[in-house]
Amino acid sequence: MNKVALVTGSSSGIGYETSLSLAREGYFTYATMRDVKKGDTIKKVAEDESLPLKVIELDVDNENSVEKAIKSIIDEKQRIDVLVNNAGWGIWGTAEDVSVEEFREQFETNFFSIVRIIQKIAPIMREQGTGDIINISSIAGRIGFPVSTAYISSKFALEGLSESLRYELGEFGVNVIIIEPGVIKTNFFDSMKTAEKANESDVYKEITEKVISGVKMMAEMGTPPIEVASVIIKSLKEEKPLPRYVVGNDATMFLEAKKMKTDIEFENYLKKELYGE
Ligand SMILES: NC(=O)c1ccc[n+]([C@@H]2O[C@H](COP(=O)([O-])OP(=O)(O)OC[C@H]3O[C@@H](n4cnc5c(N)ncnc54)[C@H](OP(=O)(O)O)[C@@H]3O)[C@@H](O)[C@H]2O)c1
């Protein structure tokens, strides 16, 4: 019997590649997305390769949609072995420029939706006595930097959630694995929103422009999303998966530097790397 996987945000990028990689490994994969019209390409690839993959609708921000998707999977397969919490987006802006409402929207998708899905799927996995929950965090969940402050905060929150869950669910045979990609070449940066106030901000105009152009330059040379998918597959094959996996030379380099340097040295190093100061 195939193991069953659910991936959120499979319409593009990391979610798209991870869904196909899981299906190629023999998982019956539910490639979920909020707009199933975006599922034509993945369906075509799955058909051409005769992969066990099905596209279903799941908007992570919507309680009913989450419930409906999980119910349909349980009705069909009676189990969920792997959950990949991947759906996410980002917003440019400093802490002053991103309104509280915008912070909330950011946390809704990148953090609360994951709490919501885990609360529904953890009982299923506990009952099975087995399961893997993969949370797509980021290097931005380990290192703070300016002008993506709400996004970074949401990923730091996800790291705390994931570390705590490891103790809680580990007892029941459920692994929680954190994936920390560096800059990955996907639609992510093109889809980023900008805080309403950031467009009018004089105070933070210079740093905002510098950081956005610095990150966009890094994105040009980003790691392909298939590499994230490969690391996820590798983690699932380990008898005892590690708590976290870093993906990309950039992420490895930043984390090494963080380990070796004092906090102040690291801040100065990151300013140079990010916007040449
Ligand atoms: N790209 C990077 O450099 C990078 C680095 C580290 C971590 N990450 C993380 O990797 C994850 C995937 O991003 P990506 O790089 O693959 O970018 P992407 O190509 O823009 O994919 C993001 C996916 O999330 C989906 N999504 C957004 N809001 C959703 C919602 N409410 N319900 C369901 N799906 C939703 C998008 O769906 P739509 O097509 O409908 O918008 C899309 O499928 C994110 O969590 C991101 O934070 C990315």
Side-chain angles (χ1 to χ4, degrees):
M1 192 178 64
N2 289 84
K3 284 192 167 184
V4 176
L6 185 173
V7 182
T8 65
S10 301
S11 66
S12 66
I14 295 170
Y16 172 91
E17 294 293 355
T18 301
S19 296
L20 286 172
S21 295
L22 283 163
R24 287 180 185 126
E25 287 294 320
Y27 288 87
F28 191 99
T29 303
Y30 287 89
T32 76
M33 54 196 75
R34 57 182 163 179
D35 178 1
V36 288
K37 288 200 282 301
K38 291 188 179 174
D40 289 350
T41 312
I42 201 168
K43 273 196 223 161
K44 172 89 176 60
V45 176
E47 250 172 55
D48 289 350
E49 296 183 33
S50 303
L51 298 174
L53 182 145
K54 185 169 176 180
V55 171
I56 63 170
E57 186 178 318
L58 196 166
D59 176 346
V60 299
D61 292 343
N62 181 315
E63 173 91 27
N64 286 339
S65 170
V66 173
E67 242 167 41
K68 202 172 147 206
I70 295 174
K71 184 174 180 307
S72 76
I73 296 173
I74 292 300
D75 286 349
E76 281 179 16
K77 299 284 174 194
Q78 295 79 47
R79 58 186 302 114
I80 297 176
D81 297 282
V82 174
L83 163 66
V84 184
N85 285 309
N86 165 74
W89 57 275
I91 182 164
W92 296 115
T94 63
E96 270 190 74
D97 287 338
V98 179
S99 69
V100 172
E101 201 35 59
E102 288 168 325
F103 258 93
R104 284 209 176 98
E105 278 172 30
Q106 178 71 106
F107 268 71
E108 187 56 45
T109 309
N110 292 10
F111 180 72
F112 289 113
S113 80
I114 295 177
V115 175
R116 179 182 296 123
I117 293 177
I118 287 174
Q119 286 184 349
K120 293 186 196 310
I121 291 184
I124 298 168
M125 291 184 168
R126 275 196 292 102
E127 188 119 319
Q128 292 168 179
T130 168
D132 292 281
I133 297 175
I134 314 263
N135 289 337
I136 309 297
S137 175
S138 169
I139 182 71
R142 300 282 296 286
I143 289 171
F145 54 89
V147 189
S148 311
T149 311
Y151 176 72
I152 287 165
S153 305
S154 71
K155 292 294 188 186
F156 266 66
L158 179 58
E159 293 270 338
L161 172 74
S162 308
E163 280 193 11
S164 306
L165 268 172
R166 284 183 54 78
Y167 295 92
E168 296 166 1
L169 291 176
E171 298 292 307
F172 298 96
V174 179
N175 296 314
V176 178
I177 301 163
I178 310 167
I179 305 291
E180 294 168 341
V183 176
I184 309 295
K185 212 168 165 122
T186 65
N187 294 341
F188 183 83
F189 296 97
D190 290 336
S191 309
M192 270 185 87
K193 299 182 184 174
T194 301
E196 257 181 52
K197 219 176 136 192
N199 292 321
E200 305 148 21
S201 170
D202 288 334
V203 184
Y204 296 111
K205 192 174 188 300
E206 199 183 327
I207 191 169
T208 299
E209 283 171 359
K210 274 189 194 169
V211 171
I212 293 179
S213 71
V215 173
K216 282 192 172 163
M217 254 159 63
M218 287 170 77
E220 290 293 303
M221 294 172 302
T223 305
I226 187 74
E227 290 193 24
V228 184
S230 303
V231 170
I232 292 172
I233 299 296
K234 177 175 158 246
S235 77
L236 289 170
K237 287 183 176 168
E238 316 252 31
E239 202 180 317
K240 278 200 183 308
L242 297 172
R244 42 171 55 89
Y245 293 82
V246 175
V247 190
N249 293 338
D250 53 347
T252 307
M253 181 184 82
F254 286 134
L255 286 172
E256 277 303 308
K258 188 159 190 182
K259 235 188 267 168
M260 309 296 286
K261 295 178 191 292
T262 64
D263 286 352
I264 296 290
E265 282 169 353
F266 183 73
E267 279 179 12
N268 290 331
Y269 159 82
L270 200 60
K271 278 185 199 168
K272 269 210 195 87
E273 289 292 322
L274 269 183
Y275 46 90
E277 208 164 77

